[in-house]
Amino acid sequence: MVYHGLKGITCVETAISRIDGEKGKLIYRGYNADELALSSTFEEVAYLILNGAFPTEAELSRFNELLASFRVLPEACERLIRSLPAELDDMAVLRTAVSSFGDISFAFKPTMEQALRLIAAVPSIIAFRKRLADGEEPVQPLDELGFVENYFYMLKGKRPTEAQKKALETYMILAMEHGMNASTFSARVTVSTESDLVSAVTSALGTMKGPLHGGAPSAVTDMLEGIGEKQHAESYIREKLEKGERLMGFGHRVYKTHDPRAKALRVKAEEIAGGDRDIDLALHVENTAIRLLEEYKPGRKLYTNVEFYAAAVMKAIDFDAALFTPTFSAARMVGWCAHVLEQADNNMIFRPSAKYVGELVSQ
């Protein structure tokens, strides 16, 4: 039997995360991810995913110090980014810049320090390129700011408000890890050959670049902009459903009930809703769409997924659509690195079979 796309095939054992699609649960190292996103910092959850336990105060302090020490990009990486063509998209730039870290020190087996170097560097690469593309000079990170605040600061040249920081942090925690998705599989396959960590996460970035994996929030933004005002939501959605078209941001291949990541993001969206037109619109569109989906597709249980509120939150904090997939990648670096480290600790090369269906000219 051929399992196209390997759907439903279990290929590794992992202690990093678990997805229960029937119950709508995403578990990071034994903890509910949606609860972590609303109660913990990015650094605390990153430490948990990478190390398997919550840090002590001393461990967290050391972890933060290491991340801070790796935020400033090497001069060679900065020169490379400046030299790349203006028409190159942000994910291609990120993939290329990360590749420049692949010196001899990144040989197999990967280490935690290597992982932290790459995790810390990715937001700096994204922000460096973004400011150049906007005709502005890049800004250097500030030692007193945390991971998420620094990312915002390096992009915008100003510190985020507390609401902006918590909204972005919630999203990035929820994007950190999600089981054996396509990009994580790419990373594990690459390191299974005893290649290095840089090659593994570059493989993951190349996979994330594809619109079937990393591009969904942009389509949600297009939909919300197409609706424009609350009074247009019902007619817009009815027209889509009458034509049999897909509503972007609704339904998920894994979750058969509410996406726990969307539920947590909705909490943050509601906290900043009153003064934000985009969040108000998104909340109204969600309620309208769920009601109409039940009317047109009874029993299908199609709810908002993480991309729906990711798009709303990112728009509310003034991140344009080009930043969606890079920001997703900056968060997912934590999960990729955790999987690469786990794979290397108990390695076996991936070598699936293929069924030949071509011609048999001679036998």
Side-chain angles (χ1 to χ4, degrees), residues 262-334:
K263 288 169 63 179
L265 273 178
R266 192 183 204 275
V267 171
K268 283 299 156 195
E270 288 176 323
E271 287 179 7
I272 58 177
D276 188 274
R277 175 187 171 281
D278 295 312
I279 294 293
D280 278 340
L281 176 62
L283 291 167
H284 179 77
V285 168
E286 178 190 31
N287 291 330
T288 304
I290 288 175
R291 172 170 55 83
L292 294 178
L293 282 166
E294 183 58 30
E295 177 185 329
Y296 281 84
K297 301 173 186 285
R300 288 282 302 277
K301 296 182 179 180
L302 296 171
Y303 302 103
T304 44
N305 58 40
V306 69
E307 284 83 14
F308 183 86
Y309 275 109
V313 166
M314 296 281 274
K315 201 167 189 300
I317 64 174
D318 195 30
F319 274 33
D320 62 51
L323 285 170
F324 287 179
T325 307
T327 301
F328 190 174
S329 301
R332 188 57 61 85
M333 279 293 298
V334 175

Side-chain angles (χ1 to χ4, degrees), residues 154-174:
M154 288 187 293
L155 281 166
K156 301 291 185 179
K158 62 181 180 181
R159 299 178 187 225
T161 65
E162 185 61 23
Q164 288 172 327
K165 181 239 180 183
K166 284 307 298 178
L168 180 58
E169 187 163 48
T170 300
Y171 170 62
M172 294 188 75
I173 289 171
L174 293 166

Side-chain angles (χ1 to χ4, degrees), residues 78-94:
E78 292 188 353
R79 288 196 302 272
L80 173 63
I81 297 171
R82 288 183 184 274
S83 73
L84 293 173
E87 61 271 18
L88 211 59
D89 68 77
D90 291 338
M91 286 299 291
V93 171
L94 180 56

Side-chain angles (χ1 to χ4, degrees), residues 99-120:
S99 291
S100 73
F101 281 74
D103 59 44
I104 195 168
S105 67
F106 277 89
F108 191 84
K109 294 173 64 168
T111 67
M112 186 64 70
E113 182 175 312
Q114 291 173 0
L116 296 184
R117 281 180 64 186
L118 295 179
I119 291 166

